Amino acid sequence: MRIDLHTHSAVSDGTDTPTQLVRKAAEEGLDVIGLTDHDTFDGLREARLAAAEAGITVLPGLEMSCKLDGASVHLLGYGCDPHNQPLLDELTRVRVGRTGRLPEMLLKLTDLGMPISEEEIAQHVGGSPSLGRPHVADAMVAKGYVKDRQEAFDKYLYEGGPAYANRYSCDIRRGIELVRRANGVAVIAHPWGRGRDRELTPAVLSELTLEYRLEGVEVDHPDHNQATRQRLRSLAAGLGLLALGSSDHHGLGKVGHALGCETTPVEVYEEIIRRIRQRGGQL
Ligand SMILES: [Zn+2]
Ligand SMILES: [Zn+2]
């Protein structure tokens, strides 16, 4: 059984519609994918219809934009009730916050000699309710300012970068609580990728587990090298955290994240399902 529990559709910043994503997963021989669009459940219905047709399973999920001491941290929630009002309210706040910082980013880009209009960004958003830096990056590529999304992020859009603007995001502790109260399973995405180990120290991960009931971490993720995976796997084992593996696929939007390039062991997946079922979450 091949299981990839972290993927994005065009409903957030991937490039495939939920239907295309599910069909590709089936073609790649995956049995289960988790759809984890940023801060929205909007793609789930379509993905599940497509999954029924393609004969694979979609685990309902989302990836919440959170923060820890001012640094960005991503939280995966599996099996959350998509009608849970406190969670939905928070997701709306995060999405509004993200859209709200766009003018400031565009101003900074203009100052850097790379003018882009809001209309030009809109062309890259598609049907996504979740406008983010990847869409700004796509517009920069289209205007010929950079060669791909990666360059846009590496040079300008990274956290604290010359074209970066701060925005509202949910405190990680509150995020975990919201996921738990919506009957979901809370997992930290790529905890030690891209320098996040500075904030998500073993002590912090231990606190999040013992006091806020974090239940898992992504260990096998393209942003983690082998040494990082080893350290993280033993920390997870010590804390009793589930260790997941996933591609973080974004379609053509991100290189090095091919569907199924990292997978979650079947016993870990079954444990996630068991917990969601036990609390009456969404499957
Ligand atoms: Zn992420
Ligand atoms: Zn992701």
Side-chain angles (χ1 to χ4, degrees):
M1 212 168 154
R2 294 186 67 222
I3 302 157
D4 182 350
L5 295 183
H6 183 166
T7 68
H8 296 271
S9 77
V11 168
S12 65
D13 56 346
T15 54
D16 299 315
T17 64
T19 303
Q20 289 167 338
L21 176 69
V22 166
R23 286 186 185 154
K24 277 189 193 168
E27 281 164 23
E28 292 295 324
L30 285 161
D31 301 284
V32 182
I33 60 164
L35 180 64
T36 52
D37 277 315
H38 293 284
D39 308 305
T40 178
F41 294 116
D42 284 6
L44 286 176
R45 210 184 114 77
E46 182 186 327
R48 299 175 75 173
L49 285 173
E53 217 170 89
I56 68 166
T57 300
V58 167
L59 176 64
L62 90 165
E63 184 172 22
M64 257 180 109
S65 309
C66 294
K67 65 172 186 301
L68 173 68
D69 302 329
S72 143
V73 173
H74 289 176
L75 180 68
L76 298 163
Y78 294 109
C80 297
D81 170 11
H83 305 293
N84 179 275
Q85 205 53 50
L87 179 58
L88 290 177
D89 289 347
E90 187 65 23
L91 296 180
T92 303
R93 214 167 293 144
V94 171
R95 290 197 307 266
V96 168
R98 184 164 28 219
T99 310
R101 72 177 167 170
L102 186 63
E104 190 185 336
M105 293 182 77
L106 297 185
L107 215 61
K108 289 185 172 180
L109 282 170
T110 302
D111 285 348
L112 290 162
M114 293 177 280
I116 299 178
S117 66
E118 292 206 22
E119 291 69 40
E120 285 167 324
I121 305 283
Q123 290 169 12
H124 298 277
V125 176
S128 173
S130 197
L131 190 154
R133 283 181 289 167
H135 303 118
V136 176
D138 289 346
M140 291 170 73
V141 175
K143 302 257 317 191
Y145 297 147
V146 289
K147 70 174 190 309
D148 54 24
R149 260 192 200 182
Q150 194 64 45
E151 188 185 348
F153 270 84
D154 289 349
K155 286 192 177 162
Y156 306 105
L157 300 174
Y158 64 90
E159 208 175 316
Y164 180 80
N166 240 326
R167 63 165 169 123
Y168 175 78
S169 50
C170 176
D171 179 81
I172 184 68
R173 295 171 179 87
R174 181 172 152 70
I176 294 171
E177 280 186 344
L178 284 166
V179 166
R180 287 301 305 254
R181 288 199 194 137
N183 300 327
V185 170
V187 172
I188 299 226
H190 42 72
W192 289 352
R194 299 168 197 249
R196 286 186 168 96
D197 52 338
R198 282 192 298 271
E199 284 82 22
L200 284 167
T201 59
V204 169
L205 285 171
S206 161
E207 180 212 339
L208 295 179
T209 307
L210 301 176
E211 290 181 33
Y212 294 85
R213 296 191 299 164
L214 174 70
E215 294 181 76
V217 282
E218 263 183 352
V219 171
D220 294 313
H221 183 283
D223 288 355
H224 292 158
N225 64 28
Q226 288 308 324
T228 297
R229 293 178 193 207
Q230 236 168 38
R231 283 190 298 132
L232 200 48
R233 205 181 304 281
S234 72
L235 179 71
L239 291 172
L241 287 169
L242 300 167
L244 284 71
S246 302
S247 66
D248 204 353
H249 183 66
H250 282 70
L252 303 173
K254 229 179 191 182
V255 289
H257 295 260
L259 263 177
C261 69
E262 308 283 355
T263 54
T264 292
V266 63
E267 58 277 12
V268 172
Y269 168 66
E270 281 171 352
E271 178 60 21
I272 293 170
I273 298 296
R274 196 187 65 75
R275 293 185 192 184
I276 295 170
R277 192 164 283 142
Q278 198 177 41
R279 12 190 123 128
Q282 172 87 4
L283 281 173

